[in-house]
Amino acid sequence: MPLIQELTDTYQSGWSATVALGQRLSTHVIPLQTHHPKDSLTNQWGPQAQALASLTISWDRTAVEKKLIRQNWPVAKQRAAAKYLSYIERYMDEAVINMYETGIPVSITLAQGILESGAGASNLARKTNNHFGIKALPTATGRRKIKAKRYDELTPQDFRYRPPAIGVSQHHDDHVYDRFEVYASVQDSYWRHSRLLLNSCKKARKGCYRWIWQEFPIQRQYVDLTEMAEIYQSVSGYSPKDFFGKTKVPYYAAQAAGLKMAGYATSKTYHKKLVYLIETYELWRFDVAVQRALG
């Protein structure tokens, strides 16, 4: 996956002038009637949900493809891009609904889904419907076996998973003993991911992501990640300027940095890969559309 080389300000222009950017505005129907919320966050669809039933968006696959052609992307790279664009089209409704329910930006959800699942083509995604690399955590018994390096003795019962996961599956990631949650559907994977990012937790601890959406809200102005980067520096090992070479960045870049600060992934360039996907495929357009629709 390529990395973002230099942050752009395209989203700032698109915030107020989507038509001026050459993007066509279209009305996209979100199938709310087929979605059944699974928790108390939304016991029923409120009045705001009606705005999503005919969401006006400026994201356009054809326009993105033409942009990539103008940038002289080689054919092989365009084929890879086509897979990413198909993934976006397939799962954007789920990401939009999750943003309505939880506030997690569509751009972050889709970028993580593409990156973590290889646009749905990874072995883990195909076998488990797990599109976000969510691991099952070892129980006390499991931890003792792992500490003693008795990996062959580990069983599914040595790992715990949370609903709507239905089990665990072994896939080598950071360690040979890693187990990942298994879901009955990709929709369940999306639901689990958004709730993971909202888990109650103590700020400045690894695995705590809830603060990101409060500290770095969707907005046109750049946000400063200095304060939170300094709080998390002992956890992440990154100083404020280590993320992008500067501290004032677009909201989605700050959110991606927040995920890295809190240890969502071990890759040293995870945040830059997310931002590359968001800017290249203009995923921020979904965030703007949903925020406008919800007022």
Side-chain angles (χ1 to χ4, degrees):
M1 175 67 64
L3 308 180
I4 190 70
Q5 299 300 318
E6 184 176 352
L7 294 170
T8 72
D9 60 358
T10 303
Y11 89 98
Q12 289 187 317
S13 301
W15 193 277
S16 59
T18 51
V19 178
L21 291 176
Q23 301 288 339
R24 67 179 178 86
L25 289 173
S26 62
T27 299
H28 181 71
V29 177
I30 303 296
L32 299 180
Q33 69 279 6
T34 65
H35 185 81
H36 304 286
K38 301 180 180 64
D39 66 0
S40 59
L41 287 177
T42 51
N43 290 323
Q44 60 183 4
W45 292 109
Q48 285 185 316
Q50 299 308 311
L52 297 182
S54 57
L55 183 67
T56 300
I57 60 175
S58 63
W59 187 85
D60 178 22
R61 174 174 181 159
T62 301
V64 173
E65 289 173 328
K66 289 180 178 178
K67 179 188 74 172
L68 301 182
I69 292 173
R70 289 196 301 271
Q71 293 176 353
N72 296 317
W73 277 34
V75 175
K77 196 173 180 181
Q78 288 183 44
R79 282 198 292 266
K83 295 178 182 178
Y84 296 164
L85 289 165
S86 293
Y87 183 93
I88 293 165
E89 286 186 320
R90 184 172 183 179
Y91 295 111
M92 63 185 187
D93 289 353
E94 198 62 41
V96 165
I97 290 171
N98 275 340
M99 181 172 171
Y100 167 75
E101 289 187 324
T102 68
I104 305 301
V106 175
S107 61
I108 288 291
T109 298
L110 289 175
Q112 283 197 281
I114 291 170
L115 184 56
E116 295 283 352
S117 75
S122 71
N123 186 51
L124 176 66
R126 288 185 288 104
K127 289 188 175 182
T128 68
N129 286 321
N130 189 333
H131 279 220
F132 297 95
I134 298 176
K135 292 181 179 179
L137 300 178
T139 62
T141 300
R143 289 195 297 272
R144 285 194 294 271
K145 292 179 181 179
I146 291 170
K147 186 175 181 179
K149 297 184 178 181
R150 302 191 336 254
Y151 305 140
D152 291 343
E153 298 178 19
L154 289 168
T155 69
Q157 288 68 40
D158 291 323
F159 295 83
R160 64 179 186 273
Y161 54 89
R162 294 188 177 183
I166 57 175
V168 302
S169 180
Q170 183 175 6
H171 291 265
H172 190 174
D173 185 40
D174 298 319
H175 308 96
V176 68
Y177 55 78
D178 283 332
R179 300 297 196 278
F180 289 82
E181 292 188 345
V182 177
Y183 307 101
S185 68
V186 176
Q187 182 188 52
D188 284 347
S189 176
Y190 269 68
W191 187 94
R192 174 75 170 97
H193 169 257
S194 60
R195 275 60 182 185
L196 172 66
L197 298 187
L198 287 178
N199 276 349
S200 296
C201 55
K202 187 174 182 180
K203 193 182 295 185
R205 286 189 176 180
K206 186 176 181 180
C208 180
Y209 313 109
R210 189 183 187 96
W211 60 270
I212 297 172
W213 327 113
Q214 299 167 349
E215 295 290 339
F216 306 137
I218 298 170
Q219 61 182 45
R220 182 175 181 176
Q221 297 77 19
Y222 277 19
V223 297
D224 195 329
L225 51 77
T226 301
E227 181 180 356
M228 294 310 303
E230 289 178 344
I231 290 174
Y232 265 94
Q233 189 165 349
S234 62
V235 176
S236 69
Y238 284 66
S239 70
K241 286 189 176 181
D242 286 343
F243 292 96
F244 299 106
K246 53 186 176 182
T247 58
K248 292 185 178 181
V249 297
Y251 73 89
Y252 51 80
Q255 292 170 349
L259 290 169
K260 178 58 186 171
M261 291 177 202
Y264 192 97
T266 56
S267 168
K268 293 182 179 180
T269 56
Y270 188 75
H271 53 295
K272 291 185 177 181
K273 292 174 182 177
L274 292 179
V275 173
Y276 171 83
L277 289 168
I278 292 170
E279 292 206 346
T280 300
Y281 299 100
E282 302 183 3
L283 301 180
W284 52 266
R285 291 185 180 277
F286 291 104
D287 301 340
V288 176
V290 175
Q291 188 169 76
R292 283 177 173 171
L294 299 181

